[in-house]
mmCIF file of all heavy atoms in Angstrom:
data_model
loop_
_atom_site.group_PDB
_atom_site.id
_atom_site.type_symbol
_atom_site.label_atom_id
_atom_site.label_comp_id
_atom_site.label_asym_id
_atom_site.label_seq_id
_atom_site.Cartn_x
_atom_site.Cartn_y
_atom_site.Cartn_z
ATOM 1 N N THR A 1 0.832 -1.219 0.000
ATOM 2 C CA THR A 1 0.000 0.000 0.000
ATOM 3 C C THR A 1 0.859 1.259 0.000
ATOM 4 O O THR A 1 0.380 2.337 -0.382
ATOM 5 C CB THR A 1 -0.939 0.032 1.220
ATOM 6 O OG1 THR A 1 -0.159 0.058 2.433
ATOM 7 C CG2 THR A 1 -1.868 -1.170 1.234
ATOM 8 N N GLN A 2 2.111 1.148 0.442
ATOM 9 C CA GLN A 2 3.001 2.311 0.488
ATOM 10 C C GLN A 2 3.818 2.480 -0.793
ATOM 11 O O GLN A 2 4.575 3.447 -0.920
ATOM 12 C CB GLN A 2 3.978 2.180 1.682
ATOM 13 C CG GLN A 2 3.308 1.947 3.023
ATOM 14 C CD GLN A 2 2.287 3.009 3.359
ATOM 15 O OE1 GLN A 2 2.582 4.204 3.265
ATOM 16 N NE2 GLN A 2 1.089 2.599 3.742
ATOM 17 N N LEU A 3 3.688 1.559 -1.729
ATOM 18 C CA LEU A 3 4.488 1.627 -2.955
ATOM 19 C C LEU A 3 3.929 2.680 -3.910
ATOM 20 O O LEU A 3 2.727 2.940 -3.937
ATOM 21 C CB LEU A 3 4.520 0.260 -3.654
ATOM 22 C CG LEU A 3 5.237 -0.867 -2.913
ATOM 23 C CD1 LEU A 3 5.128 -2.158 -3.714
ATOM 24 C CD2 LEU A 3 6.686 -0.525 -2.641
ATOM 25 N N PRO A 4 4.811 3.290 -4.728
ATOM 26 C CA PRO A 4 4.353 4.275 -5.713
ATOM 27 C C PRO A 4 3.869 3.606 -6.995
ATOM 28 O O PRO A 4 4.641 2.952 -7.695
ATOM 29 C CB PRO A 4 5.624 5.096 -5.980
ATOM 30 C CG PRO A 4 6.746 4.134 -5.745
ATOM 31 C CD PRO A 4 6.283 3.186 -4.677
ATOM 32 N N PHE A 5 2.595 3.735 -7.280
ATOM 33 C CA PHE A 5 2.046 3.277 -8.555
ATOM 34 C C PHE A 5 1.768 4.527 -9.377
ATOM 35 O O PHE A 5 0.725 5.165 -9.239
ATOM 36 C CB PHE A 5 0.767 2.464 -8.328
ATOM 37 C CG PHE A 5 1.008 1.159 -7.621
ATOM 38 C CD1 PHE A 5 0.876 1.068 -6.244
ATOM 39 C CD2 PHE A 5 1.379 0.031 -8.335
ATOM 40 C CE1 PHE A 5 1.104 -0.132 -5.594
ATOM 41 C CE2 PHE A 5 1.609 -1.181 -7.693
ATOM 42 C CZ PHE A 5 1.475 -1.262 -6.311
ATOM 43 N N CYS A 6 2.741 4.877 -10.221
ATOM 44 C CA CYS A 6 2.714 6.207 -10.831
ATOM 45 C C CYS A 6 2.419 6.203 -12.325
ATOM 46 O O CYS A 6 2.588 7.220 -12.984
ATOM 47 C CB CYS A 6 4.058 6.899 -10.587
ATOM 48 S SG CYS A 6 5.464 5.990 -11.234
ATOM 49 N N GLY A 7 2.030 5.093 -12.884
ATOM 50 C CA GLY A 7 1.784 5.126 -14.326
ATOM 51 C C GLY A 7 1.165 3.857 -14.852
ATOM 52 O O GLY A 7 -0.056 3.772 -15.004
ATOM 53 N N PRO A 8 1.985 2.827 -15.124
ATOM 54 C CA PRO A 8 1.433 1.587 -15.691
ATOM 55 C C PRO A 8 0.407 0.973 -14.740
ATOM 56 O O PRO A 8 0.630 0.896 -13.534
ATOM 57 C CB PRO A 8 2.667 0.682 -15.824
ATOM 58 C CG PRO A 8 3.836 1.602 -15.788
ATOM 59 C CD PRO A 8 3.437 2.758 -14.937
ATOM 60 N N ASN A 9 -0.715 0.554 -15.288
ATOM 61 C CA ASN A 9 -1.751 -0.034 -14.432
ATOM 62 C C ASN A 9 -2.374 -1.290 -15.035
ATOM 63 O O ASN A 9 -3.448 -1.711 -14.613
ATOM 64 C CB ASN A 9 -2.853 1.003 -14.145
ATOM 65 C CG ASN A 9 -3.688 1.313 -15.371
ATOM 66 O OD1 ASN A 9 -3.222 1.178 -16.502
ATOM 67 N ND2 ASN A 9 -4.918 1.736 -15.150
ATOM 68 N N VAL A 10 -1.706 -1.883 -16.028
ATOM 69 C CA VAL A 10 -2.230 -3.088 -16.676
ATOM 70 C C VAL A 10 -1.579 -4.317 -16.055
ATOM 71 O O VAL A 10 -0.350 -4.435 -16.008
ATOM 72 C CB VAL A 10 -1.962 -3.063 -18.194
ATOM 73 C CG1 VAL A 10 -2.454 -4.356 -18.835
ATOM 74 C CG2 VAL A 10 -2.641 -1.863 -18.830
ATOM 75 N N ILE A 11 -2.409 -5.234 -15.546
ATOM 76 C CA ILE A 11 -1.948 -6.466 -14.920
ATOM 77 C C ILE A 11 -2.287 -7.629 -15.845
ATOM 78 O O ILE A 11 -3.468 -7.874 -16.133
ATOM 79 C CB ILE A 11 -2.609 -6.671 -13.540
ATOM 80 C CG1 ILE A 11 -2.204 -5.547 -12.591
ATOM 81 C CG2 ILE A 11 -2.224 -8.023 -12.953
ATOM 82 C CD1 ILE A 11 -2.888 -5.616 -11.228
ATOM 83 N N ASP A 12 -1.275 -8.317 -16.301
ATOM 84 C CA ASP A 12 -1.476 -9.449 -17.207
ATOM 85 C C ASP A 12 -1.818 -10.697 -16.405
ATOM 86 O O ASP A 12 -1.046 -11.655 -16.315
ATOM 87 C CB ASP A 12 -0.230 -9.677 -18.066
ATOM 88 C CG ASP A 12 -0.469 -10.755 -19.125
ATOM 89 O OD1 ASP A 12 -1.633 -11.092 -19.384
ATOM 90 O OD2 ASP A 12 0.533 -11.243 -19.694
ATOM 91 N N ASP A 13 -2.991 -10.663 -15.789
ATOM 92 C CA ASP A 13 -3.443 -11.762 -14.941
ATOM 93 C C ASP A 13 -4.947 -11.622 -14.779
ATOM 94 O O ASP A 13 -5.542 -10.636 -15.218
ATOM 95 C CB ASP A 13 -2.739 -11.723 -13.584
ATOM 96 C CG ASP A 13 -2.548 -13.118 -12.991
ATOM 97 O OD1 ASP A 13 -3.397 -13.998 -13.261
ATOM 98 O OD2 ASP A 13 -1.569 -13.331 -12.258
ATOM 99 N N PHE A 14 -5.575 -12.611 -14.119
ATOM 100 C CA PHE A 14 -7.016 -12.530 -13.897
ATOM 101 C C PHE A 14 -7.351 -12.104 -12.469
ATOM 102 O O PHE A 14 -8.525 -12.031 -12.105
ATOM 103 C CB PHE A 14 -7.692 -13.871 -14.217
ATOM 104 C CG PHE A 14 -7.196 -15.020 -13.374
ATOM 105 C CD1 PHE A 14 -7.805 -15.327 -12.165
ATOM 106 C CD2 PHE A 14 -6.126 -15.789 -13.793
ATOM 107 C CE1 PHE A 14 -7.352 -16.389 -11.399
ATOM 108 C CE2 PHE A 14 -5.661 -16.855 -13.036
ATOM 109 C CZ PHE A 14 -6.278 -17.151 -11.829
ATOM 110 N N LEU A 15 -6.317 -11.822 -11.653
ATOM 111 C CA LEU A 15 -6.526 -11.316 -10.305
ATOM 112 C C LEU A 15 -5.365 -10.418 -9.918
ATOM 113 O O LEU A 15 -4.346 -10.357 -10.612
ATOM 114 C CB LEU A 15 -6.692 -12.458 -9.303
ATOM 115 C CG LEU A 15 -5.608 -13.539 -9.184
ATOM 116 C CD1 LEU A 15 -4.392 -13.068 -8.414
ATOM 117 C CD2 LEU A 15 -6.179 -14.772 -8.509
ATOM 118 N N CYS A 16 -5.524 -9.699 -8.826
ATOM 119 C CA CYS A 16 -4.449 -8.836 -8.324
ATOM 120 C C CYS A 16 -3.442 -9.703 -7.585
ATOM 121 O O CYS A 16 -3.609 -10.005 -6.397
ATOM 122 C CB CYS A 16 -5.029 -7.766 -7.402
ATOM 123 S SG CYS A 16 -5.965 -6.516 -8.274
ATOM 124 N N ASP A 17 -2.428 -10.110 -8.302
ATOM 125 C CA ASP A 17 -1.421 -11.012 -7.761
ATOM 126 C C ASP A 17 -0.196 -10.226 -7.311
ATOM 127 O O ASP A 17 0.025 -9.086 -7.715
ATOM 128 C CB ASP A 17 -1.034 -12.034 -8.829
ATOM 129 C CG ASP A 17 -0.649 -13.369 -8.209
ATOM 130 O OD1 ASP A 17 -0.393 -13.397 -6.999
ATOM 131 O OD2 ASP A 17 -0.610 -14.381 -8.941
ATOM 132 N N LEU A 18 0.617 -10.873 -6.486
ATOM 133 C CA LEU A 18 1.768 -10.202 -5.884
ATOM 134 C C LEU A 18 2.806 -9.788 -6.928
ATOM 135 O O LEU A 18 3.224 -8.617 -6.968
ATOM 136 C CB LEU A 18 2.401 -11.119 -4.841
ATOM 137 C CG LEU A 18 3.620 -10.580 -4.092
ATOM 138 C CD1 LEU A 18 3.260 -9.326 -3.304
ATOM 139 C CD2 LEU A 18 4.180 -11.650 -3.160
ATOM 140 N N SER A 19 3.223 -10.717 -7.762
ATOM 141 C CA SER A 19 4.299 -10.432 -8.713
ATOM 142 C C SER A 19 3.971 -9.302 -9.690
ATOM 143 O O SER A 19 4.793 -8.401 -9.890
ATOM 144 C CB SER A 19 4.670 -11.707 -9.490
ATOM 145 O OG SER A 19 5.188 -12.681 -8.612
ATOM 146 N N PRO A 20 2.771 -9.292 -10.317
ATOM 147 C CA PRO A 20 2.459 -8.178 -11.222
ATOM 148 C C PRO A 20 2.419 -6.828 -10.517
ATOM 149 O O PRO A 20 2.856 -5.823 -11.089
ATOM 150 C CB PRO A 20 1.078 -8.549 -11.771
ATOM 151 C CG PRO A 20 0.980 -10.017 -11.609
ATOM 152 C CD PRO A 20 1.727 -10.336 -10.366
ATOM 153 N N LEU A 21 1.912 -6.777 -9.287
ATOM 154 C CA LEU A 21 1.864 -5.511 -8.554
ATOM 155 C C LEU A 21 3.268 -5.010 -8.231
ATOM 156 O O LEU A 21 3.559 -3.819 -8.346
ATOM 157 C CB LEU A 21 1.054 -5.671 -7.264
ATOM 158 C CG LEU A 21 -0.462 -5.750 -7.438
ATOM 159 C CD1 LEU A 21 -1.142 -6.070 -6.117
ATOM 160 C CD2 LEU A 21 -1.006 -4.446 -8.011
ATOM 161 N N LEU A 22 4.152 -5.918 -7.839
ATOM 162 C CA LEU A 22 5.538 -5.523 -7.573
ATOM 163 C C LEU A 22 6.212 -5.047 -8.856
ATOM 164 O O LEU A 22 7.005 -4.091 -8.829
ATOM 165 C CB LEU A 22 6.319 -6.697 -6.980
ATOM 166 C CG LEU A 22 5.930 -7.131 -5.559
ATOM 167 C CD1 LEU A 22 6.734 -8.347 -5.123
ATOM 168 C CD2 LEU A 22 6.135 -5.988 -4.563
ATOM 169 N N ALA A 23 5.882 -5.681 -9.979
ATOM 170 C CA ALA A 23 6.467 -5.268 -11.264
ATOM 171 C C ALA A 23 5.992 -3.872 -11.654
ATOM 172 O O ALA A 23 6.772 -3.054 -12.151
ATOM 173 C CB ALA A 23 6.102 -6.280 -12.349
ATOM 174 N N LEU A 24 4.714 -3.560 -11.422
ATOM 175 C CA LEU A 24 4.187 -2.233 -11.737
ATOM 176 C C LEU A 24 4.836 -1.165 -10.868
ATOM 177 O O LEU A 24 5.177 -0.079 -11.348
ATOM 178 C CB LEU A 24 2.665 -2.204 -11.540
ATOM 179 C CG LEU A 24 1.822 -2.996 -12.544
ATOM 180 C CD1 LEU A 24 0.351 -2.838 -12.231
ATOM 181 C CD2 LEU A 24 2.108 -2.547 -13.972
ATOM 182 N N ALA A 25 5.006 -1.463 -9.587
ATOM 183 C CA ALA A 25 5.648 -0.500 -8.692
ATOM 184 C C ALA A 25 7.113 -0.314 -9.054
ATOM 185 O O ALA A 25 7.650 0.798 -8.966
ATOM 186 C CB ALA A 25 5.516 -0.957 -7.241
ATOM 187 N N SER A 26 7.772 -1.390 -9.486
ATOM 188 C CA SER A 26 9.187 -1.306 -9.868
ATOM 189 C C SER A 26 9.388 -0.432 -11.090
ATOM 190 O O SER A 26 10.485 0.102 -11.311
ATOM 191 C CB SER A 26 9.741 -2.708 -10.148
ATOM 192 O OG SER A 26 9.670 -3.517 -8.999
ATOM 193 N N ALA A 27 8.345 -0.265 -11.906
ATOM 194 C CA ALA A 27 8.453 0.592 -13.079
ATOM 195 C C ALA A 27 8.555 2.061 -12.698
ATOM 196 O O ALA A 27 8.993 2.888 -13.500
ATOM 197 C CB ALA A 27 7.243 0.381 -13.992
ATOM 198 N N CYS A 28 8.155 2.400 -11.471
ATOM 199 C CA CYS A 28 8.222 3.785 -10.995
ATOM 200 C C CYS A 28 9.506 4.062 -10.222
ATOM 201 O O CYS A 28 10.117 5.114 -10.389
ATOM 202 C CB CYS A 28 7.017 4.090 -10.097
ATOM 203 S SG CYS A 28 5.433 3.957 -10.931
ATOM 204 N N VAL A 29 9.891 3.119 -9.375
ATOM 205 C CA VAL A 29 11.061 3.318 -8.524
ATOM 206 C C VAL A 29 11.565 1.944 -8.076
ATOM 207 O O VAL A 29 10.764 1.033 -7.878
ATOM 208 C CB VAL A 29 10.704 4.197 -7.300
ATOM 209 C CG1 VAL A 29 9.634 3.534 -6.453
ATOM 210 C CG2 VAL A 29 11.933 4.523 -6.460
ATOM 211 N N PRO A 30 12.874 1.750 -7.951
ATOM 212 C CA PRO A 30 13.390 0.461 -7.472
ATOM 213 C C PRO A 30 12.870 0.147 -6.070
ATOM 214 O O PRO A 30 12.860 1.011 -5.195
ATOM 215 C CB PRO A 30 14.912 0.669 -7.466
ATOM 216 C CG PRO A 30 15.147 1.771 -8.439
ATOM 217 C CD PRO A 30 13.962 2.687 -8.329
ATOM 218 N N ILE A 31 12.416 -1.086 -5.873
ATOM 219 C CA ILE A 31 11.883 -1.494 -4.562
ATOM 220 C C ILE A 31 12.493 -2.825 -4.132
ATOM 221 O O ILE A 31 11.776 -3.775 -3.807
ATOM 222 C CB ILE A 31 10.345 -1.602 -4.613
ATOM 223 C CG1 ILE A 31 9.915 -2.467 -5.806
ATOM 224 C CG2 ILE A 31 9.692 -0.237 -4.672
ATOM 225 C CD1 ILE A 31 8.448 -2.872 -5.774
ATOM 226 N N PRO A 32 13.828 -2.909 -4.096
ATOM 227 C CA PRO A 32 14.449 -4.196 -3.759
ATOM 228 C C PRO A 32 14.096 -4.687 -2.360
ATOM 229 O O PRO A 32 13.969 -5.890 -2.124
ATOM 230 C CB PRO A 32 15.948 -3.904 -3.879
ATOM 231 C CG PRO A 32 16.068 -2.421 -3.700
ATOM 232 C CD PRO A 32 14.837 -1.849 -4.298
ATOM 233 N N GLY A 33 13.929 -3.744 -1.416
ATOM 234 C CA GLY A 33 13.604 -4.142 -0.047
ATOM 235 C C GLY A 33 12.246 -4.819 0.049
ATOM 236 O O GLY A 33 12.114 -5.873 0.685
ATOM 237 N N THR A 34 11.248 -4.244 -0.597
ATOM 238 C CA THR A 34 9.905 -4.820 -0.563
ATOM 239 C C THR A 34 9.875 -6.172 -1.260
ATOM 240 O O THR A 34 9.249 -7.123 -0.774
ATOM 241 C CB THR A 34 8.897 -3.865 -1.229
ATOM 242 O OG1 THR A 34 8.920 -2.606 -0.557
ATOM 243 C CG2 THR A 34 7.487 -4.442 -1.169
ATOM 244 N N VAL A 35 10.549 -6.268 -2.412
ATOM 245 C CA VAL A 35 10.605 -7.533 -3.139
ATOM 246 C C VAL A 35 11.275 -8.604 -2.278
ATOM 247 O O VAL A 35 10.815 -9.753 -2.224
ATOM 248 C CB VAL A 35 11.363 -7.371 -4.471
ATOM 249 C CG1 VAL A 35 11.589 -8.727 -5.133
ATOM 250 C CG2 VAL A 35 10.593 -6.448 -5.413
ATOM 251 N N LEU A 36 12.349 -8.222 -1.576
ATOM 252 C CA LEU A 36 13.063 -9.176 -0.724
ATOM 253 C C LEU A 36 12.181 -9.659 0.423
ATOM 254 O O LEU A 36 12.120 -10.859 0.712
ATOM 255 C CB LEU A 36 14.335 -8.532 -0.165
ATOM 256 C CG LEU A 36 15.168 -9.399 0.788
ATOM 257 C CD1 LEU A 36 15.671 -10.647 0.073
ATOM 258 C CD2 LEU A 36 16.333 -8.586 1.365
ATOM 259 N N ILE A 37 11.476 -8.731 1.069
ATOM 260 C CA ILE A 37 10.617 -9.099 2.198
ATOM 261 C C ILE A 37 9.480 -10.006 1.738
ATOM 262 O O ILE A 37 9.206 -11.046 2.357
ATOM 263 C CB ILE A 37 10.062 -7.839 2.892
ATOM 264 C CG1 ILE A 37 11.189 -7.086 3.595
ATOM 265 C CG2 ILE A 37 8.964 -8.205 3.895
ATOM 266 C CD1 ILE A 37 10.769 -5.737 4.150
ATOM 267 N N CYS A 38 8.827 -9.633 0.637
ATOM 268 C CA CYS A 38 7.720 -10.447 0.117
ATOM 269 C C CYS A 38 8.213 -11.828 -0.311
ATOM 270 O O CYS A 38 7.565 -12.842 -0.027
ATOM 271 C CB CYS A 38 7.049 -9.742 -1.054
ATOM 272 S SG CYS A 38 6.160 -8.229 -0.607
ATOM 273 N N GLY A 39 9.351 -11.868 -0.986
ATOM 274 C CA GLY A 39 9.898 -13.143 -1.430
ATOM 275 C C GLY A 39 10.307 -14.027 -0.269
ATOM 276 O O GLY A 39 10.070 -15.239 -0.277
ATOM 277 N N THR A 40 10.924 -13.406 0.754
ATOM 278 C CA THR A 40 11.363 -14.174 1.927
ATOM 279 C C THR A 40 10.182 -14.749 2.676
ATOM 280 O O THR A 40 10.188 -15.927 3.063
ATOM 281 C CB THR A 40 12.194 -13.276 2.861
ATOM 282 O OG1 THR A 40 13.345 -12.785 2.163
ATOM 283 C CG2 THR A 40 12.650 -14.056 4.085
ATOM 284 N N MET A 41 9.144 -13.927 2.893
ATOM 285 C CA MET A 41 7.979 -14.404 3.635
ATOM 286 C C MET A 41 7.230 -15.479 2.864
ATOM 287 O O MET A 41 6.767 -16.474 3.444
ATOM 288 C CB MET A 41 7.060 -13.231 3.973
ATOM 289 C CG MET A 41 7.674 -12.239 4.945
ATOM 290 S SD MET A 41 6.501 -11.021 5.571
ATOM 291 C CE MET A 41 5.476 -12.032 6.636
ATOM 292 N N SER A 42 7.118 -15.314 1.543
ATOM 293 C CA SER A 42 6.451 -16.333 0.728
ATOM 294 C C SER A 42 7.230 -17.641 0.748
ATOM 295 O O SER A 42 6.666 -18.720 0.964
ATOM 296 C CB SER A 42 6.305 -15.840 -0.719
ATOM 297 O OG SER A 42 5.499 -14.699 -0.795
ATOM 298 N N SER A 43 8.545 -17.539 0.535
ATOM 299 C CA SER A 43 9.382 -18.741 0.493
ATOM 300 C C SER A 43 9.409 -19.450 1.842
ATOM 301 O O SER A 43 9.340 -20.682 1.908
ATOM 302 C CB SER A 43 10.804 -18.374 0.067
ATOM 303 O OG SER A 43 10.811 -17.793 -1.217
ATOM 304 N N LEU A 44 9.515 -18.671 2.916
ATOM 305 C CA LEU A 44 9.567 -19.257 4.260
ATOM 306 C C LEU A 44 8.297 -20.043 4.550
ATOM 307 O O LEU A 44 8.344 -21.183 5.027
ATOM 308 C CB LEU A 44 9.751 -18.146 5.299
ATOM 309 C CG LEU A 44 9.892 -18.594 6.756
ATOM 310 C CD1 LEU A 44 11.116 -19.481 6.928
ATOM 311 C CD2 LEU A 44 9.966 -17.386 7.683
#
């Protein structure tokens, strides 16, 4: 919810999934910390 979604808003999926949302936010500004936290929690 704190990520900047500043332009692209097309999700190539049938639901609001984690990976497409992170990809859209990454198009505005690098978010390595958020990607790392989400990936770590999912993998764990």
